[in-house]
Structures are given as structure tokens and as C-alpha cells.
Amino acid sequence: AQKITQTQPGMFVQEKEAVTLDCTYDTSDQSYGLFWYKQPSSGEMIFLIYQGSYDEQNATEGRYSLNFQKARKSANLVISASQLGDSAMYFCAMRLMDSSYKLIFGSGTRLLVRP
Amino acid sequence: DGGITQSPKYLFRKEGQNVTLSCEQNLNHDAMYWYRQDPGQGLRLIYYSQIVNDFQKGDIAEGYSVSREKKESFPLTVTSAQKNPTAFYLCASSPNYEEGDGELFFGEGSRLTVL
């Protein structure tokens, strides 16, 4: 069965420092997509970054980068130069490239940025 | 502006009552989804629909019902059969598979509390 695991329930980081949020996934499929979403206290889900299983380079979007290690089935999110506004829940998710379009989510990591 | 609108934002219900959560999108997306989020947890899929007049059960469909009579609308009914309905409900949509990576676009959520 497909599964996403986020082992860090909560993390602290000092403002302006980098932080890595861990995500491992389990699937027997060869084709899949990996996503990271941010959820502020207001509740909406904000898309951050996407990595396809066949992408050879790690995805980057501004201060966000995805450290994709396919053999280890990990897709860690790296946030550089943390800002106070980065304090939120972060969810890793996986999409199977079948017709269902469904995303499977991990349990999330709560990040708190300290001034 | 294009987006997904969920209403109401907050809803209180007495035990034994059915309640319907509204979800409307003007993004012209084919697929729509309902997720449930419990405190400190990830998102779990309730129902999804890839096309008008068709929908499929997700992982936790018991006690819920949906309809998809129009492309832009995907209401969720929480029935009295749902044993523990107090949760945060998120609606999402996504474009056709060929049009993107499968990113989900989320509404701002509806928080349901059963008294």
C-alpha cells in the first residue's frame, strides 16, 4: 500500500537559518509525483513544490528545494533563510500516476521559526 | 479571481442532523475532492470526482455523501451516520492530468463542530 511518513511532529529553527523537513514514501509504482504543501494557522493549503519520479534534478522554487533521493524513497523539503512567516504545518504528499488523481498525505510537521 | 470557495467557514450541528458543506470552483477543473483533517493529523480522502455525474469513494467515505451535477460544484453532506463528524473539511480541485503535475488547489476549509 502507498504511504507517506513524516517522522518529525514538530521542529524549531532560528530565523535566517535553513531547515530540512523529512519525508519518506512507500510505493511499488515507478511513476509518481511528490508534493509539499504549507498550512498556516488559517487552514488553507498552499502548494510549495513538486517533484516527479522521473525528474533527474531536484526541484527548486525560490527558498524551497526538494532533496529527492529515489533509492532511499525520500523527498525532504529544505527551506533556506527561514522567515517568521514560515511558521506553519508542512505536509508531504504523493500522487500516483493513475487515473484517480488522488494525493496521499503524511501526518505533517509543525515548524516554528524563532526570531 | 479564480479559486475555490467553501461555505460555511464555521458550522455547528446537533447530533443526528445532516449538514451540507458547499464547494464551488471557477477554475474549470475537471476533478474535485473532499478531504477531512483532524487536529494534528494529515488529510484523509473522503470522496473524489473526476467528471460530472460521477464520483468515487475515498478512504473514509462512510457517513458522507456527495453529488456532482455541475462541473463547478461538489457539495458534501455529512450525515447522521458519521460517528465522529467534528473536523476540518477541505475541498480541492485539479485540472486534467494532461494539463499539469496533479497539483491540488484547495479552498479555505470548513470547520464543523457537533454539539
Side-chain angles (χ1 to χ4, degrees):
Chain A
Q2 293 81 17
K3 188 178 180 181
I4 293 281
T5 301
Q6 295 181 254
T7 58
Q8 306 154 313
M11 289 193 68
F12 292 95
V13 65
Q14 205 67 32
E15 191 178 9
K16 300 180 184 178
E17 292 184 349
V19 63
T20 297
L21 307 183
D22 294 341
C23 172
T24 58
Y25 60 92
D26 187 15
T27 180
S28 56
D29 292 313
Q30 297 301 311
S31 182
Y32 49 87
L34 297 160
F35 299 79
W36 278 92
Y37 281 84
K38 172 184 178 181
Q39 187 181 41
S41 57
S42 54
E44 78 270 27
M45 297 285 283
I46 302 168
F47 166 73
L48 296 178
I49 196 166
Y50 167 81
Q51 179 86 40
S53 59
Y54 293 117
D55 294 341
E56 294 184 352
Q57 291 191 332
N58 287 342
T60 60
E61 288 287 348
R63 294 186 299 111
Y64 304 107
S65 61
L66 200 153
N67 184 1
F68 180 47
Q69 298 187 44
K70 194 169 182 178
R72 300 176 64 179
K73 292 188 175 179
S74 72
N76 299 339
L77 177 70
V78 180
I79 305 175
S80 63
S82 296
Q83 302 172 356
L84 297 178
D86 293 335
S87 294
M89 283 288 289
Y90 288 82
F91 291 96
C92 181
M94 177 171 63
R95 176 191 169 183
L96 303 178
M97 297 305 184
D98 59 16
S99 62
S100 71
Y101 303 179
K102 292 183 294 185
L103 286 190
I104 303 166
F105 285 84
S107 56
T109 296
R110 182 172 297 281
L111 178 66
L112 183 61
V113 180
R114 290 169 165 159
Chain B
D1 286 348
I4 299 177
T5 302
Q6 289 187 240
S7 62
K9 193 168 185 176
Y10 299 95
L11 186 61
F12 297 89
R13 189 195 91 176
K14 293 182 179 179
E15 282 192 29
Q17 289 181 336
N18 292 355
V19 63
T20 297
L21 307 180
S22 170
C23 178
E24 302 279 331
Q25 55 104 354
N26 59 5
L27 300 168
N28 199 34
H29 287 169
D30 290 314
M32 297 187 73
Y33 313 79
W34 275 105
Y35 283 89
R36 168 179 171 143
Q37 186 179 24
D38 292 288
Q41 298 186 29
L43 280 65
R44 293 183 290 169
L45 184 64
I46 305 172
Y47 269 98
Y48 64 102
S49 167
Q50 295 173 260
I51 196 169
V52 175
N53 292 323
D54 188 44
F55 48 83
Q56 285 77 40
K57 293 182 179 180
D59 301 318
I60 56 166
E62 185 176 353
Y64 299 96
S65 66
V66 293
S67 63
R68 186 87 186 274
E69 298 177 0
K70 299 185 295 183
K71 185 176 185 177
E72 58 270 22
S73 179
F74 192 41
L76 173 73
T77 296
V78 185
T79 74
S80 57
Q82 167 52 232
K83 299 302 180 187
N84 186 20
T86 294
F88 187 55
Y89 292 88
L90 284 158
C91 179
S93 70
S94 69
N96 188 284
Y97 173 77
E98 289 79 19
E99 297 176 23
D101 298 321
E103 170 194 348
L104 294 188
F105 295 77
F106 283 87
E108 295 187 340
S110 293
R111 191 169 300 278
L112 172 63
T113 302
V114 174
L115 304 173

